[in-house]
Amino acid sequence: MFDELDFQGHIPIYSQLVDRIKRLVATGVLKPGEQLPTVRKMATELRVNLNTIARAYRILDEEGVLSTQQGRGTYVLQPMLPEKGLPPRMAALEGMTKSFLERAYQVGFNPDEVSLLLDELLAAWREDGMPPKSKS
Amino acid sequence: MFDELDFQGHIPIYSQLVDRIKRLVATGVLKPGEQLPTVRKMATELRVNLNTIARAYRILDEEGVLSTQQGRGTYVLQPMLPEKGLPPRMAALEGMTKSFLERAYQVGFNPDEVSLLLDELLAAWREDGMPPKSKS
DNA sequence: CAGGAGACATACAATTAGTACAATAATACA
DNA sequence: TGTATTATTGTACTAATTGTATGTCTCCTG
């Protein structure tokens, strides 16, 4: 469930984890009250240091997504509903968007190309109520 | 692999490095995802200052050939430059974009919100020549 | 003889890893 | 049943590895 990390890209592992878990919580894959893998288990699975996992958990704890307690474990707190927390919500979108644009820029695209394609895909989203399915 | 620099000629070392690495990537000697020597390792090998290596890496990063990140290292990116393979290039952008939109959708955003923010960030990109830096 | 570009020296910052510690839960045993 | 022991779990501190930022020196060029 968590094993799709990019070790070569420009996004730190802990940051990738934060995004991934946020999404899993937001989409209901991880339900409130559910326990996440322990830092050690997750660390050995992903072959990173346990502190890297702990860092992601701590960030999510501070953001109110998870609740971690020494000796007990890490649990899902609240589903991140669109209604709650507007400023952090927009900040999240901004982060996602910036990192998407940066990636596009780095692999050689220009704003017009991106804009053109986005217009198309956004229109499809408006029509269908959901964005076009991506392969991943 | 990198130890054929010309210290006598009048082509700057960083420039020689940029050309050399570009060629190695283009010819497939350096494969996507592969990590390059750290700036320090390369610097001691070639007996130049680490900033000279860093400069070459930075240029290649800006050109989308490499991806460097503080604390992690420098890696070869996927070659998606306009020169090679136009259809796969756009397909790559489409993939990136779809997966970005899907994420936004899953976290609870609607097309208008995404569109609004994108207009803003794309405008900034056009103005500055590069997209706004993301924190991550 | 300025001006600037290239290279260098040095200090800084970010990410990840190694190790020991502390809090909680589970178990063993009298 | 009560308490001691062990296991489990997150935390704190430190170190190692990596790229970045800033200032200085030198050399070439006009």
Side-chain angles (χ1 to χ4, degrees):
Chain A
M1 185 191 309
F2 302 97
D3 51 0
E4 300 168 25
L5 291 179
D6 176 15
F7 288 88
Q8 286 126 34
H10 59 287
I11 300 176
I13 294 175
Y14 75 88
S15 188
Q16 292 181 47
L17 262 173
V18 167
D19 288 346
R20 171 163 299 277
I21 293 172
K22 262 189 196 166
R23 198 174 96 200
L24 290 172
V25 170
T27 56
V29 178
L30 290 173
K31 297 179 183 57
E34 189 170 344
Q35 180 174 17
L36 277 80
T38 70
V39 290
R40 281 173 183 78
K41 194 170 172 200
M42 184 85 102
T44 50
E45 265 183 25
L46 302 182
R47 300 195 230 253
V48 294
N49 190 270
L50 85 176
N51 279 300
T52 304
I53 310 295
R55 183 171 179 180
Y57 281 6
R58 180 165 42 76
I59 290 173
L60 290 163
D61 181 273
E62 285 165 358
E63 292 187 6
V65 180
L66 304 179
S67 163
T68 77
Q69 287 172 277
Q70 188 171 350
R72 291 193 18 97
T74 301
Y75 298 84
V76 178
L77 263 188
Q78 300 289 334
M80 295 192 310
L81 294 178
E83 292 79 48
K84 13 205 74 180
L86 277 162
R89 182 169 168 264
M90 284 315 285
L93 178 60
E94 191 170 336
M96 287 168 49
T97 309
K98 279 184 177 171
S99 103
F100 157 65
L101 291 180
E102 191 176 357
R103 173 79 184 162
Y105 167 72
Q106 284 189 331
V107 293
F109 292 98
N110 63 55
D112 294 323
E113 291 172 312
V114 176
S115 179
L116 209 64
L117 179 59
L118 270 166
D119 283 345
E120 196 179 309
L121 295 178
L122 281 169
W125 183 354
R126 288 196 181 89
E127 240 179 64
D128 305 339
M130 66 174 58
K133 226 7 191 174
S134 80
K135 285 156 305 194
S136 70
Chain B
M1 186 191 308
F2 302 97
D3 50 3
E4 301 166 24
L5 291 179
D6 176 18
F7 289 90
Q8 316 303 332
H10 288 88
I11 300 177
I13 296 174
Y14 76 89
S15 189
Q16 292 181 46
L17 261 172
V18 167
D19 290 345
R20 170 164 301 276
I21 293 173
K22 260 190 195 166
R23 186 147 15 98
L24 290 172
V25 170
T27 56
V29 178
L30 290 174
K31 296 179 183 58
E34 189 169 344
Q35 180 173 18
L36 277 82
T38 70
V39 290
R40 280 172 182 79
K41 196 168 171 196
M42 183 85 101
T44 50
E45 267 182 23
L46 303 182
R47 319 215 202 222
V48 290
N49 189 269
L50 88 177
N51 279 300
T52 304
I53 310 295
R55 184 169 180 181
Y57 282 6
R58 180 163 41 78
I59 290 173
L60 290 164
D61 180 277
E62 284 165 0
E63 293 187 6
V65 179
L66 304 179
S67 163
T68 76
Q69 196 194 352
Q70 189 170 352
R72 299 269 313 279
T74 301
Y75 297 85
V76 179
L77 274 182
Q78 307 291 333
M80 288 188 227
L81 298 176
E83 292 83 62
K84 28 204 72 182
L86 277 161
R89 179 169 173 266
M90 284 315 284
L93 178 60
E94 192 170 334
M96 286 168 49
T97 310
K98 277 184 179 171
S99 107
F100 157 66
L101 290 179
E102 191 177 0
R103 281 180 67 178
Y105 168 71
Q106 285 182 330
V107 186
F109 292 97
N110 62 57
D112 295 323
E113 291 171 312
V114 177
S115 178
L116 209 64
L117 180 59
L118 270 166
D119 284 345
E120 197 179 306
L121 296 178
L122 282 169
W125 183 355
R126 289 196 179 88
E127 239 177 67
D128 305 339
M130 66 174 60
K133 244 331 200 187
S134 79
K135 291 153 305 202
S136 63

